[in-house]
Amino acid sequence: MCTVCMASRAPGVECDYTHAGPAQQILTEVGDAAGSTATTYVMAVSDTFNGALNANGDDDWIRIDLTAGDIVQIDLAATTFFDPYLRLYDSTGTLIAENDDNGVSLHSSLPFQALSSGSYYLRARSLGDHDTRTYALSVAHGSLPPPAPAAHLATSTTHAHCRPTASD
């Protein structure tokens, strides 16, 4: 039975439709995820990774393989109270995007379009690097937001949650 029907139907009642995509997996961090491209944790689009920041300064890297043109929505949500911080790296470990606070809550969110096929790395951490807490990292098929008006672009880099990367 598919995930949608499992959540909404009584046991033994079959699905009404065919699921067109890969099955969603819920992955759980068993040992501490490496804080680099050497991580052994891998997730796919539609998966959720449940992890823990175990010590001061701990950060977890999770690999995801994307195809050029893929558009995804990446969300990092605290499952115990803390301020999560999300960073996205390319296959060489170079920072390409980051987010702190999605504009609605302390959770972090990034819409992203892969410009090339390959491995990307998601980095979960606490903004203050001092919280020992749990989180859920999810990646779903998404869409890019509409372009911002020019006036907004001129002022958006002054907000605390917008941090330019080295390539900016």
Side-chain angles (χ1 to χ4, degrees), residues 2-28:
C2 71
T3 346
V4 173
C5 291
M6 285 188 332
S8 62
R9 296 190 180 275
V13 177
E14 293 301 315
C15 295
D16 289 341
Y17 68 96
T18 302
H19 179 64
Q24 174 190 16
Q25 292 189 41
I26 298 177
L27 310 165
T28 302

Side-chain angles (χ1 to χ4, degrees), residues 49-70:
F49 180 87
N50 294 316
L53 300 173
N54 299 314
N56 291 342
D58 184 26
D59 58 354
D60 293 344
W61 288 43
I62 299 89
R63 190 183 92 211
I64 187 165
D65 296 320
L66 299 172
T67 302
D70 283 351

Side-chain angles (χ1 to χ4, degrees), residues 42-129:
V42 180
M43 65 186 300
V45 177
S46 299
D47 288 351
T48 298
F49 180 87
N50 294 316
L53 300 173
N54 299 314
N56 291 342
D58 184 26
D59 58 354
D60 293 344
W61 288 43
I62 299 89
R63 190 183 92 211
I64 187 165
D65 296 320
L66 299 172
T67 302
D70 283 351
I71 298 173
V72 294
Q73 176 64 41
I74 307 164
D75 293 301
L76 176 61
T79 53
T80 55
F81 184 76
F82 76 105
D83 188 2
Y85 193 81
L86 175 63
R87 288 184 171 171
L88 174 67
Y89 296 84
D90 68 13
S91 61
T92 66
T94 301
L95 178 66
I96 55 177
E98 60 188 337
N99 180 262
D100 172 44
D101 304 342
N102 60 20
V104 178
S105 70
L106 292 179
H107 300 318
S108 298
S109 298
L110 279 175
F112 175 71
Q113 181 172 21
L115 298 179
S116 60
S117 297
S119 295
Y120 292 84
Y121 296 89
L122 308 172
R123 180 182 180 189
R125 67 184 300 183
S126 168
L127 180 62
D129 279 338

